[in-house]
Amino acid sequence: MTNLPPPAEELRILDAELRQLDLRRAVLLRRRAWLVHTLRAAAAPQPAQGTGAAPGGPPAGPAAGAAARRPETTAPGVQNVLLVLGGVLLTIAAIAFTLVSWGHLGIAGRSLVLGALTVGALGAPVTLLRRGLRATAEAVSGLATALTVLDAYALHEVAFTGADGVGYAAAASAVLAALWAAYGVRLGLFHPLPLAVATAHLPLLLWAIAVGAGPLPLTAVLLATAAGGSAVALRAVSAPVRVVAVVGALGTGAVGVLSAGWLCWSASDPGSAARAAALLVVAAAVALMTGRFVPNREVAVAAAAAAGLCLVAGSAGVLRVSVPGEWTVPGCQLFAILLLAAERTSIPLPLRQGLVRAAAAVQGFAVLWAVPLVAGSVLGPAVQAVTPWSGAPRTVRDAVFAGVPAPAYASTVPLVLAVVAAALVVAGRRTPRRPAVMVVALVLGWAAVLVLPVALQLPYTAGLVTQAAVVVAALGLAVRSDRADGGPSPLALTALLLAILTSVDLALLSLASESATIGVLVTLTVLFGAAGRRPRHAPFTVPAALAHATALACALGASAGLRPPHTALLVLVVPAVAALIASRSSGSRATVPVEVAGAAAGLLALALAVPDPPMLALVLSLNGVVAAATALRPERRAVGWAAAVLLPAAAWVRLAAWEVGTPEAYTLPVTGPALVVGYLRRRRDTAVSSWTAYGPGLAATLVPSMLAAWDDQHWLRPLLLGVAALAVTLVGARLRLQAPLVLGAGVLALVAMHELAPYLTQVVGALPRWVPPALAGLVLLVLGATYEHRLRDARRLREALGRLR
């Protein structure tokens, strides 16, 4: 149990606790009042002077809320704007005074006023800096620098009126740059040093212009200025100074390098080219030194790459005026390869990487220089297709560039491409991207060999043999690459594509001569057919062999003097062979490409046979036979539809060639096979309806014959059609088949109506005019009386028809 204190003691304890609570409450209330006052003071807007607002009064209105609580600018920003604006206004005033009011004062007044202003402006920042007003000191120093420029102008107008303007500007810019640099360093101001660096880029250039220096000295001056700017950029601590120095160095250096390159490549003698090349060497040295000491790695690499390009450009410029023109690009390649020797030196890694990139860029330019000849060698033989068998030309170049001038300096293009390919092969051994590099090297090597006959102007036969050797070599390389890699590789695929492209080019090139065409096509067909025995290459080589065989068939037909429709029979051998090959390679990757090649040959045969309808019918039927044979394969059942179209089309074309106008001659050849196919299908699948199995075949003959019978004035066609329709109806009723029953009965009823129509017309004409309406009313009355019974009979008839198959 709890022991309670006596009443007097408990009262004393309660009074003590209440006093403690009162004290704590007073402290919390004082703290709350202070916080409320602080928040109100921070949120209340500051009243502007002179507005009459009461010091603790409420804000003017809600419009002043957000703008007053969040200022749109800072105090330092306002201060800088005011100081800059004041400095600019004072500078404008000083310029106006110097240019406009200068003549109103004597020489003493002019000197006194301008000197006093300049001295005052230059000395004021000292006092301002001592008082801690740095921003104001910067603004006044800006005015001082502008006044020094005005002083220089005034001196020229008063004391040096006879001096050359450009020469005086050179001297004044040098003096001002030195003055501003010393002034900025002495006082530690912000803007004089960048201004001094920017001005320091002018004295040498202005001095060279003043003395009438030529292009070569001006270029040297630009490069010297760029070197000075680079040195300042490397040594500068201040970021603005460094930025100004870099921009100036890049600008003057770029102009200097371009000028030196133009002088080098436009020189007419080795001496002039060597002097300009020496300037490019100087520019390269400046770039290398900059890259050596610059802390940024990417900048160092770019500087070294620029240095390498300058060295190659200078060397090639000297070489251009020293050797024949076709050796200029190979010379550039040689100098670029020499740059790769930097890989074995001890210079910093970024510089080595930049020189290697420069060498790679030069090799890329060399490849671009060779592109016109390569493109002409690949596309030029297509011209032979316009005038085939016009006679073998003397050289390969005459066959490729028939009637078109060949590119200049073509004799060294194979060497250029071979050098780049060899360099890539060597470099590919040490790079993780070896497959891609080797593919590019293979393409370049192929291009070098392809243009070799054109570049050397080899005889026509030698050119054909060379391209055939390229095809053989490409196929051999594809086989070897697969063996080395253990599977399909990018190199093998590239080799196959190059072999196919070269074979097409060779076939087109051989069109100049009949014997060459047949010999080349036979060789290519055999070659790609033999290469197609390898399953990995079959999707490419077998279709190529079929394409060359198709061209060979056309060539043999033309050589034998056959007309194009008769040549189509030779072309049809290719689809038959393709169907045979596809059946033996069913399920492989080569099946679809082979079938596509065979289908293309079949379409070509059709196109050749179009002018001769009897031959077109034969070609259609043979194509239909090939399609039907293909449809025998389970996975190619859909090709049967093509056979179903081609075979009737062949019969129709033949009938049209015989000028047969009877529609049954066109429809019965379709109906018979269609009914047989439907019968066989229903034997295999009893769920197939009679409409699917027999409907198309029956309709193909019954409907056209019925339409012809309605326009036939003789009795034989309706009689035969009626007998046939009756037979079809009886067969449908006997076998309980819906399609024959409905089609036969419908056609029989329509034929009967057609035959009875004249007699009905005569009967109606002989009756009185009131008889037909009376008969119609009577019929309607009877039908109305037995409506329900007739509906039940109709329902039963529909159900009976529905039970038929």
PDB file of all heavy atoms in Angstrom, residues 106-123:
ATOM      1  N   GLY A 106      44.870  75.730 -75.619  1.00  0.00           N
ATOM      2  CA  GLY A 106      46.237  75.838 -76.108  1.00  0.00           C
ATOM      3  C   GLY A 106      47.034  74.596 -75.764  1.00  0.00           C
ATOM      4  O   GLY A 106      46.560  73.670 -75.106  1.00  0.00           O
ATOM      5  N   ILE A 107      48.322  74.611 -76.171  1.00  0.00           N
ATOM      6  CA  ILE A 107      49.149  73.436 -75.949  1.00  0.00           C
ATOM      7  C   ILE A 107      49.377  73.187 -74.476  1.00  0.00           C
ATOM      8  O   ILE A 107      49.395  72.053 -73.997  1.00  0.00           O
ATOM      9  CB  ILE A 107      50.499  73.609 -76.702  1.00  0.00           C
ATOM     10  CG1 ILE A 107      51.319  72.321 -76.584  1.00  0.00           C
ATOM     11  CG2 ILE A 107      51.241  74.821 -76.183  1.00  0.00           C
ATOM     12  CD1 ILE A 107      50.691  71.138 -77.181  1.00  0.00           C
ATOM     13  N   ALA A 108      49.521  74.292 -73.717  1.00  0.00           N
ATOM     14  CA  ALA A 108      49.727  74.115 -72.280  1.00  0.00           C
ATOM     15  C   ALA A 108      48.460  73.605 -71.617  1.00  0.00           C
ATOM     16  O   ALA A 108      48.496  72.700 -70.757  1.00  0.00           O
ATOM     17  CB  ALA A 108      50.138  75.448 -71.654  1.00  0.00           C
ATOM     18  N   GLY A 109      47.328  74.167 -72.001  1.00  0.00           N
ATOM     19  CA  GLY A 109      46.070  73.707 -71.415  1.00  0.00           C
ATOM     20  C   GLY A 109      45.770  72.256 -71.754  1.00  0.00           C
ATOM     21  O   GLY A 109      45.308  71.473 -70.916  1.00  0.00           O
ATOM     22  N   ARG A 110      46.041  71.888 -72.994  1.00  0.00           N
ATOM     23  CA  ARG A 110      45.813  70.501 -73.382  1.00  0.00           C
ATOM     24  C   ARG A 110      46.658  69.550 -72.549  1.00  0.00           C
ATOM     25  O   ARG A 110      46.159  68.547 -71.992  1.00  0.00           O
ATOM     26  CB  ARG A 110      46.166  70.327 -74.859  1.00  0.00           C
ATOM     27  CG  ARG A 110      45.323  71.169 -75.801  1.00  0.00           C
ATOM     28  CD  ARG A 110      45.873  71.064 -77.208  1.00  0.00           C
ATOM     29  NE  ARG A 110      45.200  71.978 -78.127  1.00  0.00           N
ATOM     30  CZ  ARG A 110      45.582  72.164 -79.383  1.00  0.00           C
ATOM     31  NH1 ARG A 110      46.625  71.514 -79.843  1.00  0.00           N
ATOM     32  NH2 ARG A 110      44.933  73.012 -80.158  1.00  0.00           N
ATOM     33  N   SER A 111      47.954  69.879 -72.462  1.00  0.00           N
ATOM     34  CA  SER A 111      48.848  68.989 -71.704  1.00  0.00           C
ATOM     35  C   SER A 111      48.454  68.937 -70.240  1.00  0.00           C
ATOM     36  O   SER A 111      48.464  67.864 -69.611  1.00  0.00           O
ATOM     37  CB  SER A 111      50.294  69.467 -71.843  1.00  0.00           C
ATOM     38  OG  SER A 111      50.666  69.510 -73.201  1.00  0.00           O
ATOM     39  N   LEU A 112      48.118  70.104 -69.697  1.00  0.00           N
ATOM     40  CA  LEU A 112      47.773  70.152 -68.290  1.00  0.00           C
ATOM     41  C   LEU A 112      46.502  69.346 -68.002  1.00  0.00           C
ATOM     42  O   LEU A 112      46.461  68.531 -67.066  1.00  0.00           O
ATOM     43  CB  LEU A 112      47.576  71.613 -67.868  1.00  0.00           C
ATOM     44  CG  LEU A 112      47.248  71.840 -66.379  1.00  0.00           C
ATOM     45  CD1 LEU A 112      48.361  71.320 -65.493  1.00  0.00           C
ATOM     46  CD2 LEU A 112      46.976  73.317 -66.123  1.00  0.00           C
ATOM     47  N   VAL A 113      45.471  69.533 -68.823  1.00  0.00           N
ATOM     48  CA  VAL A 113      44.194  68.854 -68.577  1.00  0.00           C
ATOM     49  C   VAL A 113      44.332  67.340 -68.738  1.00  0.00           C
ATOM     50  O   VAL A 113      43.970  66.548 -67.849  1.00  0.00           O
ATOM     51  CB  VAL A 113      43.116  69.409 -69.520  1.00  0.00           C
ATOM     52  CG1 VAL A 113      41.842  68.562 -69.412  1.00  0.00           C
ATOM     53  CG2 VAL A 113      42.807  70.860 -69.185  1.00  0.00           C
ATOM     54  N   LEU A 114      44.895  66.899 -69.865  1.00  0.00           N
ATOM     55  CA  LEU A 114      44.982  65.457 -70.122  1.00  0.00           C
ATOM     56  C   LEU A 114      45.941  64.771 -69.160  1.00  0.00           C
ATOM     57  O   LEU A 114      45.682  63.693 -68.643  1.00  0.00           O
ATOM     58  CB  LEU A 114      45.428  65.199 -71.572  1.00  0.00           C
ATOM     59  CG  LEU A 114      45.239  63.770 -72.085  1.00  0.00           C
ATOM     60  CD1 LEU A 114      43.797  63.317 -71.925  1.00  0.00           C
ATOM     61  CD2 LEU A 114      45.685  63.655 -73.527  1.00  0.00           C
ATOM     62  N   GLY A 115      47.067  65.466 -68.866  1.00  0.00           N
ATOM     63  CA  GLY A 115      48.009  64.883 -67.918  1.00  0.00           C
ATOM     64  C   GLY A 115      47.413  64.781 -66.528  1.00  0.00           C
ATOM     65  O   GLY A 115      47.605  63.781 -65.827  1.00  0.00           O
ATOM     66  N   ALA A 116      46.725  65.853 -66.116  1.00  0.00           N
ATOM     67  CA  ALA A 116      46.113  65.815 -64.786  1.00  0.00           C
ATOM     68  C   ALA A 116      45.065  64.711 -64.690  1.00  0.00           C
ATOM     69  O   ALA A 116      44.998  63.981 -63.695  1.00  0.00           O
ATOM     70  CB  ALA A 116      45.485  67.173 -64.485  1.00  0.00           C
ATOM     71  N   LEU A 117      44.249  64.580 -65.726  1.00  0.00           N
ATOM     72  CA  LEU A 117      43.246  63.509 -65.709  1.00  0.00           C
ATOM     73  C   LEU A 117      43.893  62.131 -65.652  1.00  0.00           C
ATOM     74  O   LEU A 117      43.475  61.253 -64.891  1.00  0.00           O
ATOM     75  CB  LEU A 117      42.352  63.617 -66.945  1.00  0.00           C
ATOM     76  CG  LEU A 117      41.358  64.787 -66.974  1.00  0.00           C
ATOM     77  CD1 LEU A 117      40.607  64.824 -68.302  1.00  0.00           C
ATOM     78  CD2 LEU A 117      40.364  64.666 -65.819  1.00  0.00           C
ATOM     79  N   THR A 118      44.925  61.942 -66.451  1.00  0.00           N
ATOM     80  CA  THR A 118      45.568  60.623 -66.488  1.00  0.00           C
ATOM     81  C   THR A 118      46.245  60.300 -65.170  1.00  0.00           C
ATOM     82  O   THR A 118      46.099  59.205 -64.617  1.00  0.00           O
ATOM     83  CB  THR A 118      46.586  60.569 -67.633  1.00  0.00           C
ATOM     84  OG1 THR A 118      45.940  60.907 -68.866  1.00  0.00           O
ATOM     85  CG2 THR A 118      47.191  59.183 -67.738  1.00  0.00           C
ATOM     86  N   VAL A 119      47.025  61.292 -64.650  1.00  0.00           N
ATOM     87  CA  VAL A 119      47.713  61.055 -63.378  1.00  0.00           C
ATOM     88  C   VAL A 119      46.701  60.818 -62.260  1.00  0.00           C
ATOM     89  O   VAL A 119      46.865  59.933 -61.407  1.00  0.00           O
ATOM     90  CB  VAL A 119      48.649  62.236 -63.057  1.00  0.00           C
ATOM     91  CG1 VAL A 119      49.200  62.113 -61.648  1.00  0.00           C
ATOM     92  CG2 VAL A 119      49.789  62.308 -64.060  1.00  0.00           C
ATOM     93  N   GLY A 120      45.632  61.608 -62.259  1.00  0.00           N
ATOM     94  CA  GLY A 120      44.630  61.425 -61.222  1.00  0.00           C
ATOM     95  C   GLY A 120      43.946  60.064 -61.312  1.00  0.00           C
ATOM     96  O   GLY A 120      43.702  59.387 -60.310  1.00  0.00           O
ATOM     97  N   ALA A 121      43.635  59.655 -62.548  1.00  0.00           N
ATOM     98  CA  ALA A 121      42.986  58.357 -62.706  1.00  0.00           C
ATOM     99  C   ALA A 121      43.915  57.209 -62.357  1.00  0.00           C
ATOM    100  O   ALA A 121      43.484  56.190 -61.799  1.00  0.00           O
ATOM    101  CB  ALA A 121      42.482  58.208 -64.143  1.00  0.00           C
ATOM    102  N   LEU A 122      45.204  57.375 -62.667  1.00  0.00           N
ATOM    103  CA  LEU A 122      46.146  56.300 -62.343  1.00  0.00           C
ATOM    104  C   LEU A 122      46.440  56.244 -60.841  1.00  0.00           C
ATOM    105  O   LEU A 122      46.706  55.171 -60.285  1.00  0.00           O
ATOM    106  CB  LEU A 122      47.451  56.478 -63.115  1.00  0.00           C
ATOM    107  CG  LEU A 122      47.383  56.235 -64.633  1.00  0.00           C
ATOM    108  CD1 LEU A 122      48.699  56.594 -65.297  1.00  0.00           C
ATOM    109  CD2 LEU A 122      47.041  54.777 -64.920  1.00  0.00           C
ATOM    110  N   GLY A 123      46.424  57.405 -60.182  1.00  0.00           N
ATOM    111  CA  GLY A 123      46.754  57.409 -58.765  1.00  0.00           C
ATOM    112  C   GLY A 123      45.596  57.167 -57.844  1.00  0.00           C
ATOM    113  O   GLY A 123      45.778  56.743 -56.690  1.00  0.00           O
TER     114      GLY A 123
END
